[in-house]
Amino acid sequence: MTEDIPEDYVNLVTDTFEGEVRQTNNAYPEDRSVRFDWERIHHVAPDIAEGLLLNPRNTRKKLSKAVHAWDEVSMPEVAVRIHNIPDDRIYRVGKLRTRHLGTAIGVTGEVAEIDPVKPLATLAVFECRRCGTLNRVPQQYGPMMRPVECMGCEKSGKKSNWLFQRAQSELKDVREVELKRVDTNLDGDTVILKIRLKEDLVDRLGPGDEVSLVGRYDSGAFQNSSVLSTYLDVWAIENHEEGVLMDELPPGELQEMVVDEVRVQQEDDASDFGASRADVLDAIEDEGIRRSEVETALDEAIEEGDVDEIAGEKLMVAE
């Protein structure tokens, strides 16, 4: 651990949540999330728990630093995800107010629209076209920020003077989703909240999903109107309908579930040659997992040779 990380953050990582951190480390890079239960944090470090609610950007960043700095694990791209926040901080879409900006909340609603996954530059590297110096510029969501002046020749210039170097920049997957309010008798337009999914969360939602999202509610850094546009930077995804924490199931574990289900159905009915593909998908979906995710996991199991697909949409566990 580095000396500039407060001891109470270090203790959370190496003591209270040691098991969770080591488990993710063992599954990394397939699993890229370390999950911290807010209630457990509050029990042992109430100041940190309060900071996660009221000053989430800085507090979560410190916790992330503590995870990355622990020399007994190596997960350079792991994300820290906070879940199980207090019930009194969970709202329906449309119930958020100015006082909630900059804080951590939970929001419930239905996914209305979902955009394609795109790369987001969190640190952009620009080559000066006059002297060739590489300049590193941290980025926020919105227009690309370019250097004020070159660190080499100390000259400023127009956009055309800077050449963006993607290979040297730091990129993350991001997807914008619109969440709408459900079960409302209000007249007028449907209330919509824009949310942002990053990294391993980008494939966890689909249109029509009714979910509870935990994250930081904030306004965009670049505004074109005095009426601010807002968004939720999502930390964790909870599926209310099935009661399953959707971001707590690593893809590898889902694939194992699929293979095990094929084996069980294959053995339960020895008179039938193989397990029905549809029945396998139905069984896993009944556990609260989105069908598209189950289909992807099954296709990957077939590609990797763990499951054989035979005639009549039948499946068998490969020998």
Side-chain angles (χ1 to χ4, degrees), residues 273-288:
F273 189 67
S276 164
R277 180 186 179 97
D279 289 346
V280 170
L281 295 175
D282 289 342
I284 304 297
E285 187 179 18
D286 288 343
E287 297 295 323

Side-chain angles (χ1 to χ4, degrees), residues 90 107-109 210-213 238-244 246:
I90 299 176
V107 180
T108 61
E210 293 187 18
V211 293
S212 174
L213 308 173
E238 297 182 274
N239 185 325
H240 269 301
E241 187 173 355
E242 286 82 16
V244 176
M246 297 179 70

Side-chain angles (χ1 to χ4, degrees), residues 206-219:
D209 287 354
E210 293 187 18
V211 293
S212 174
L213 308 173
V214 176
R216 175 174 54 85
Y217 179 58
D218 217 332
S219 57

Side-chain angles (χ1 to χ4, degrees), residues 103-147:
T103 70
I105 59 171
V107 180
T108 61
E110 179 183 336
V111 176
E113 298 288 342
I114 185 164
D115 291 344
V117 177
K118 298 179 181 178
L120 169 68
T122 56
L123 182 69
V125 175
F126 293 93
E127 180 182 348
C128 177
R129 301 183 72 172
R130 291 153 298 196
C131 70
T133 300
L134 296 180
N135 298 263
R136 299 160 63 87
V137 183
Q139 301 291 321
Q140 298 187 57
Y141 199 94
M144 184 77 85
M145 302 295 292
R146 290 171 172 78

Side-chain angles (χ1 to χ4, degrees), residues 50-158:
E50 194 71 10
L52 286 168
L53 297 180
L54 302 182
N55 187 16
R57 184 192 291 271
N58 292 334
T59 307
R60 183 168 171 250
K61 185 178 295 185
K62 290 180 183 177
L63 192 55
S64 296
K65 287 183 177 179
V67 172
H68 289 103
W70 192 17
D71 56 9
E72 294 192 22
V73 299
S74 178
M75 301 177 288
E77 297 182 8
V78 77
V80 167
R81 307 210 174 279
I82 313 298
H83 65 96
N84 195 26
I85 66 173
D87 290 340
D88 61 5
R89 297 195 65 83
I90 299 176
Y91 308 90
R92 288 194 298 166
V93 173
K95 289 294 185 180
L96 302 176
R97 298 295 180 261
T98 301
R99 66 179 182 275
H100 299 127
L101 287 169
T103 70
I105 59 171
V107 180
T108 61
E110 179 183 336
V111 176
E113 298 288 342
I114 185 164
D115 291 344
V117 177
K118 298 179 181 178
L120 169 68
T122 56
L123 182 69
V125 175
F126 293 93
E127 180 182 348
C128 177
R129 301 183 72 172
R130 291 153 298 196
C131 70
T133 300
L134 296 180
N135 298 263
R136 299 160 63 87
V137 183
Q139 301 291 321
Q140 298 187 57
Y141 199 94
M144 184 77 85
M145 302 295 292
R146 290 171 172 78
V148 176
E149 66 176 28
C150 178
M151 296 178 60
C153 61
E154 299 184 350
K155 294 180 180 179
S156 58
K158 298 179 295 185

